[in-house]
Amino acid sequence: MVYSMTGFGRGQIQIDEWSLIMEIKTVNHRYFDFIMRGPEVFSPFQENIRRKISEKIHRGRIEVSLYYRKGESDVYEFIIHERLWDNIHRSLTKLAEKYNYEKPRLQDFFQFKEIYSLESKEINETKMKEAILKLTDQVMDQVLFMRRKEGNALEEDLRQNLQLMSISVTKLEEDAPIINREYEHRLRKKIEEMIQDQDYDEQRVLTEVAIFSEKSDIHEEITRLKSHIQYFKEILNEKKAKGRTLDFILQEMNREANTICSKSNHAGLTRDAVAIKSYIDQLKEQVQNIE
């Protein structure tokens, strides 16, 4: 089974006066990269959320947003420090009477920030942790469903491109001996003509033979390509995370295709090798989004 690294989920849960909303978005990344955004009050639970998600996702960038919908009055408490308030009130009233000023109004007191504070309401951390982890599970179910659905589509495309590449490799394997025989025939004819010349260059003949020997044999590259294709199929069937392994196999495939291109001495072989490289490029692009 193949999982895409692209996914999204959103959920909500109620705990006392807290209405918690969580969103999780996952995108491509070479490793496991976790980011959480939200009010400071949720910071103590960040590591719990990260561990919970890492049990189900092993690769990709995971962006978690955790916040509450209701106003701050539901999670913060407005505290008046009455003793300080009384002292300031007495002092301002006394000054007003002494100097015949207008008596202090309510809004005047809020210039003194020391007389009030906004404090977080007490929360039951155990209860909050349980609610957040439950919400994480709910949202992760959506994320995994989306990653699995997109992964199924990716797997279908991968297998299709892999099949097309296998056909090209088979064609390359069938064409190579025919093309080599044609080249060998031309080379023999050329050598015979050179030998008939009394002043023929023996070193040149040996060079031509050496070039032919080097460029004519692509059997090993074809064998390795077929082996890589089979291994790619086996990895696709595994349940574990496989994106990085598939990417490595494609690098090896590309190496063999490049070698075949460099050895090619015929337009037909070059055409087959270029077709294989084209399929490898398509596979590499698709594999970038596989966990």
Side-chain angles (χ1 to χ4, degrees):
M1 181 177 291
V2 171
Y3 280 88
S4 163
M5 282 192 282
T6 303
F8 179 80
R10 187 178 189 277
Q12 181 174 336
I13 196 169
Q14 191 73 30
I15 170 174
D16 298 333
E17 70 272 18
W18 297 72
S19 183
L20 306 181
I21 300 98
M22 177 181 285
E23 291 182 353
I24 298 178
K25 181 175 73 172
T26 65
V27 293
N28 299 8
H29 197 278
R30 188 171 178 81
Y31 305 103
F32 181 89
D33 183 30
F34 177 85
I35 296 175
M36 179 171 159
R37 300 183 179 90
E40 189 68 24
V41 69
F42 296 132
S43 294
F45 311 106
Q46 178 170 328
E47 182 58 25
N48 301 110
I49 296 171
R50 191 197 70 80
R51 283 201 300 266
K52 171 68 72 172
I53 292 175
S54 67
E55 292 173 0
K56 300 178 180 179
I57 292 179
H58 308 289
R59 184 174 178 239
R61 180 184 176 91
I62 297 91
E63 299 178 5
V64 178
S65 297
L66 179 60
Y67 53 96
Y68 48 86
R69 173 172 289 170
K70 293 185 178 181
E72 289 187 344
S73 60
D74 294 301
V75 292
Y76 290 99
E77 188 173 0
F78 185 70
I79 306 295
I80 297 292
H81 305 292
E82 294 185 11
R83 291 183 61 184
L84 182 57
W85 182 291
D86 290 341
N87 288 336
I88 294 174
H89 182 269
R90 281 195 300 269
S91 298
L92 291 179
T93 301
K94 186 176 180 180
L95 287 171
E97 291 173 351
K98 182 176 181 179
Y99 296 104
N100 198 27
Y101 293 153
E102 183 181 350
K103 287 186 177 182
R105 298 165 299 176
L106 179 63
Q107 57 264 38
D108 295 332
F109 291 94
F110 287 98
Q111 297 178 34
F112 304 95
K113 294 184 178 180
E114 294 80 3
I115 68 174
Y116 68 92
S117 60
L118 198 62
E119 298 179 3
S120 298
K121 290 183 179 180
E122 291 283 337
I123 63 170
N124 184 317
E125 286 203 8
T126 301
K127 191 175 181 181
M128 179 63 75
K129 177 182 174 182
E130 290 175 355
I132 288 176
L133 293 183
K134 182 178 179 181
L135 179 59
T136 303
D137 280 332
Q138 292 174 5
V139 178
M140 279 300 298
D141 286 343
Q142 299 176 37
V143 173
L144 292 175
F145 176 80
M146 184 173 175
R147 287 165 66 103
R148 184 165 53 246
K149 183 178 180 180
E150 187 169 328
N152 289 339
L154 275 172
E155 182 177 2
E156 185 176 341
D157 287 343
L158 283 169
R159 292 188 183 279
Q160 189 174 48
N161 280 326
L162 203 63
Q163 180 61 30
L164 292 172
M165 187 170 73
S166 296
I167 293 172
S168 292
V169 172
T170 300
K171 186 174 185 303
L172 183 69
E173 188 175 28
E174 292 171 350
D175 289 346
I178 299 172
I179 294 170
N180 285 344
R181 282 196 294 271
E182 292 176 0
Y183 184 73
E184 183 180 0
H185 176 73
R186 293 198 303 272
L187 179 61
R188 284 181 180 276
K189 187 175 179 181
K190 187 174 182 179
I191 291 174
E192 287 173 358
E193 291 174 354
M194 292 169 66
I195 291 175
Q196 288 174 4
D197 185 350
Q198 295 182 352
D199 298 325
Y200 82 94
D201 186 347
E202 183 179 355
Q203 187 59 44
R204 184 181 172 191
V205 173
L206 293 174
T207 301
E208 290 286 346
V209 172
I211 291 173
F212 169 73
S213 177
E214 179 184 352
K215 288 196 170 184
S216 64
D217 187 12
I218 57 172
H219 176 73
E220 288 186 8
E221 286 78 13
I222 291 174
T223 300
R224 284 194 290 267
L225 265 176
K226 293 169 70 175
S227 175
H228 292 326
I229 290 172
Q230 182 57 37
Y231 186 37
F232 195 99
K233 292 177 180 178
E234 292 172 4
I235 296 297
L236 274 181
N237 293 328
E238 293 183 354
K239 294 183 179 180
K240 62 182 182 180
K242 53 186 67 90
R244 294 178 67 184
T245 303
L246 294 177
D247 188 53
F248 175 77
I249 296 172
L250 288 171
Q251 290 179 37
E252 295 303 305
M253 287 183 181
N254 197 55
R255 193 194 312 277
E256 303 303 337
N258 283 334
T259 303
I260 292 172
C261 283
S262 68
K263 284 186 174 185
S264 175
N265 50 41
H266 190 279
L269 288 182
T270 301
R271 185 168 53 249
D272 292 339
V274 169
I276 292 170
K277 282 178 62 65
S278 175
Y279 291 125
I280 291 172
D281 287 341
Q282 292 179 49
L283 288 167
K284 287 176 70 175
E285 185 176 343
Q286 293 162 334
V287 163
Q288 294 308 308
N289 198 32
I290 292 179
E291 182 182 13

PDB file of all heavy atoms in Angstrom, residues 14-19 70 74-75 121-123:
ATOM      1  N   GLN A  14     -15.238  19.544  22.568  1.00  0.00           N
ATOM      2  CA  GLN A  14     -15.629  20.432  23.664  1.00  0.00           C
ATOM      3  C   GLN A  14     -15.129  19.862  24.988  1.00  0.00           C
ATOM      4  O   GLN A  14     -15.304  18.680  25.260  1.00  0.00           O
ATOM      5  CB  GLN A  14     -17.156  20.574  23.715  1.00  0.00           C
ATOM      6  CG  GLN A  14     -17.658  21.673  24.633  1.00  0.00           C
ATOM      7  CD  GLN A  14     -17.422  23.059  24.061  1.00  0.00           C
ATOM      8  OE1 GLN A  14     -17.404  23.237  22.856  1.00  0.00           O
ATOM      9  NE2 GLN A  14     -17.239  24.042  24.944  1.00  0.00           N
ATOM     10  N   ILE A  15     -14.486  20.715  25.791  1.00  0.00           N
ATOM     11  CA  ILE A  15     -14.057  20.312  27.118  1.00  0.00           C
ATOM     12  C   ILE A  15     -14.313  21.491  28.063  1.00  0.00           C
ATOM     13  O   ILE A  15     -13.629  22.515  27.977  1.00  0.00           O
ATOM     14  CB  ILE A  15     -12.579  19.879  27.144  1.00  0.00           C
ATOM     15  CG1 ILE A  15     -12.105  19.704  28.586  1.00  0.00           C
ATOM     16  CG2 ILE A  15     -11.683  20.814  26.377  1.00  0.00           C
ATOM     17  CD1 ILE A  15     -10.714  19.142  28.738  1.00  0.00           C
ATOM     18  N   ASP A  16     -15.321  21.328  28.925  1.00  0.00           N
ATOM     19  CA  ASP A  16     -15.767  22.404  29.823  1.00  0.00           C
ATOM     20  C   ASP A  16     -16.075  23.650  28.979  1.00  0.00           C
ATOM     21  O   ASP A  16     -16.824  23.575  28.026  1.00  0.00           O
ATOM     22  CB  ASP A  16     -14.717  22.688  30.896  1.00  0.00           C
ATOM     23  CG  ASP A  16     -14.468  21.467  31.785  1.00  0.00           C
ATOM     24  OD1 ASP A  16     -15.401  20.654  31.910  1.00  0.00           O
ATOM     25  OD2 ASP A  16     -13.367  21.324  32.313  1.00  0.00           O
ATOM     26  N   GLU A  17     -15.454  24.788  29.329  1.00  0.00           N
ATOM     27  CA  GLU A  17     -15.713  26.018  28.571  1.00  0.00           C
ATOM     28  C   GLU A  17     -14.816  26.152  27.345  1.00  0.00           C
ATOM     29  O   GLU A  17     -14.900  27.115  26.603  1.00  0.00           O
ATOM     30  CB  GLU A  17     -15.533  27.258  29.462  1.00  0.00           C
ATOM     31  CG  GLU A  17     -14.106  27.547  29.864  1.00  0.00           C
ATOM     32  CD  GLU A  17     -13.679  26.823  31.127  1.00  0.00           C
ATOM     33  OE1 GLU A  17     -14.357  25.849  31.507  1.00  0.00           O
ATOM     34  OE2 GLU A  17     -12.676  27.234  31.726  1.00  0.00           O
ATOM     35  N   TRP A  18     -13.933  25.148  27.136  1.00  0.00           N
ATOM     36  CA  TRP A  18     -13.006  25.185  26.003  1.00  0.00           C
ATOM     37  C   TRP A  18     -13.630  24.482  24.797  1.00  0.00           C
ATOM     38  O   TRP A  18     -14.046  23.332  24.875  1.00  0.00           O
ATOM     39  CB  TRP A  18     -11.707  24.479  26.358  1.00  0.00           C
ATOM     40  CG  TRP A  18     -10.933  25.106  27.472  1.00  0.00           C
ATOM     41  CD1 TRP A  18     -11.252  25.103  28.802  1.00  0.00           C
ATOM     42  CD2 TRP A  18      -9.714  25.828  27.352  1.00  0.00           C
ATOM     43  NE1 TRP A  18     -10.309  25.771  29.517  1.00  0.00           N
ATOM     44  CE2 TRP A  18      -9.343  26.230  28.657  1.00  0.00           C
ATOM     45  CE3 TRP A  18      -8.901  26.171  26.287  1.00  0.00           C
ATOM     46  CZ2 TRP A  18      -8.190  26.953  28.919  1.00  0.00           C
ATOM     47  CZ3 TRP A  18      -7.756  26.882  26.534  1.00  0.00           C
ATOM     48  CH2 TRP A  18      -7.405  27.280  27.839  1.00  0.00           C
ATOM     49  N   SER A  19     -13.662  25.193  23.673  1.00  0.00           N
ATOM     50  CA  SER A  19     -14.057  24.583  22.409  1.00  0.00           C
ATOM     51  C   SER A  19     -12.801  24.521  21.538  1.00  0.00           C
ATOM     52  O   SER A  19     -12.368  25.522  20.978  1.00  0.00           O
ATOM     53  CB  SER A  19     -15.145  25.425  21.724  1.00  0.00           C
ATOM     54  OG  SER A  19     -15.569  24.802  20.536  1.00  0.00           O
ATOM     55  N   LYS A  70     -14.061  30.216  21.055  1.00  0.00           N
ATOM     56  CA  LYS A  70     -14.750  31.204  21.871  1.00  0.00           C
ATOM     57  C   LYS A  70     -13.831  32.349  22.245  1.00  0.00           C
ATOM     58  O   LYS A  70     -12.625  32.264  22.102  1.00  0.00           O
ATOM     59  CB  LYS A  70     -15.311  30.538  23.128  1.00  0.00           C
ATOM     60  CG  LYS A  70     -16.434  29.543  22.823  1.00  0.00           C
ATOM     61  CD  LYS A  70     -17.045  29.010  24.091  1.00  0.00           C
ATOM     62  CE  LYS A  70     -18.199  28.053  23.779  1.00  0.00           C
ATOM     63  NZ  LYS A  70     -18.811  27.537  25.015  1.00  0.00           N
ATOM     64  N   ASP A  74     -13.674  33.242  27.986  1.00  0.00           N
ATOM     65  CA  ASP A  74     -13.964  31.864  28.370  1.00  0.00           C
ATOM     66  C   ASP A  74     -12.736  31.144  28.916  1.00  0.00           C
ATOM     67  O   ASP A  74     -12.858  30.116  29.564  1.00  0.00           O
ATOM     68  CB  ASP A  74     -14.499  31.076  27.160  1.00  0.00           C
ATOM     69  CG  ASP A  74     -15.843  31.607  26.704  1.00  0.00           C
ATOM     70  OD1 ASP A  74     -16.777  31.602  27.514  1.00  0.00           O
ATOM     71  OD2 ASP A  74     -15.923  32.046  25.548  1.00  0.00           O
ATOM     72  N   VAL A  75     -11.548  31.659  28.617  1.00  0.00           N
ATOM     73  CA  VAL A  75     -10.343  30.970  29.062  1.00  0.00           C
ATOM     74  C   VAL A  75      -9.447  31.852  29.923  1.00  0.00           C
ATOM     75  O   VAL A  75      -8.476  31.381  30.475  1.00  0.00           O
ATOM     76  CB  VAL A  75      -9.539  30.444  27.847  1.00  0.00           C
ATOM     77  CG1 VAL A  75     -10.302  29.338  27.155  1.00  0.00           C
ATOM     78  CG2 VAL A  75      -9.222  31.569  26.883  1.00  0.00           C
ATOM     79  N   LYS A 121      -7.427  30.908  33.204  1.00  0.00           N
ATOM     80  CA  LYS A 121      -8.201  30.135  34.164  1.00  0.00           C
ATOM     81  C   LYS A 121      -7.510  28.805  34.446  1.00  0.00           C
ATOM     82  O   LYS A 121      -6.808  28.264  33.593  1.00  0.00           O
ATOM     83  CB  LYS A 121      -9.606  29.874  33.620  1.00  0.00           C
ATOM     84  CG  LYS A 121     -10.482  31.120  33.553  1.00  0.00           C
ATOM     85  CD  LYS A 121     -11.882  30.761  33.085  1.00  0.00           C
ATOM     86  CE  LYS A 121     -12.781  31.997  33.043  1.00  0.00           C
ATOM     87  NZ  LYS A 121     -14.139  31.666  32.586  1.00  0.00           N
ATOM     88  N   GLU A 122      -7.715  28.315  35.610  1.00  0.00           N
ATOM     89  CA  GLU A 122      -7.130  27.027  35.972  1.00  0.00           C
ATOM     90  C   GLU A 122      -7.702  25.937  35.071  1.00  0.00           C
ATOM     91  O   GLU A 122      -8.904  25.891  34.804  1.00  0.00           O
ATOM     92  CB  GLU A 122      -7.464  26.695  37.432  1.00  0.00           C
ATOM     93  CG  GLU A 122      -6.763  27.591  38.436  1.00  0.00           C
ATOM     94  CD  GLU A 122      -5.310  27.212  38.616  1.00  0.00           C
ATOM     95  OE1 GLU A 122      -4.980  26.047  38.332  1.00  0.00           O
ATOM     96  OE2 GLU A 122      -4.513  28.077  39.009  1.00  0.00           O
ATOM     97  N   ILE A 123      -6.825  25.075  34.552  1.00  0.00           N
ATOM     98  CA  ILE A 123      -7.302  23.963  33.738  1.00  0.00           C
ATOM     99  C   ILE A 123      -6.776  22.658  34.319  1.00  0.00           C
ATOM    100  O   ILE A 123      -5.710  22.608  34.925  1.00  0.00           O
ATOM    101  CB  ILE A 123      -6.849  24.088  32.263  1.00  0.00           C
ATOM    102  CG1 ILE A 123      -5.327  24.045  32.171  1.00  0.00           C
ATOM    103  CG2 ILE A 123      -7.397  25.336  31.631  1.00  0.00           C
ATOM    104  CD1 ILE A 123      -4.821  23.930  30.750  1.00  0.00           C
TER     105      ILE A 123
END
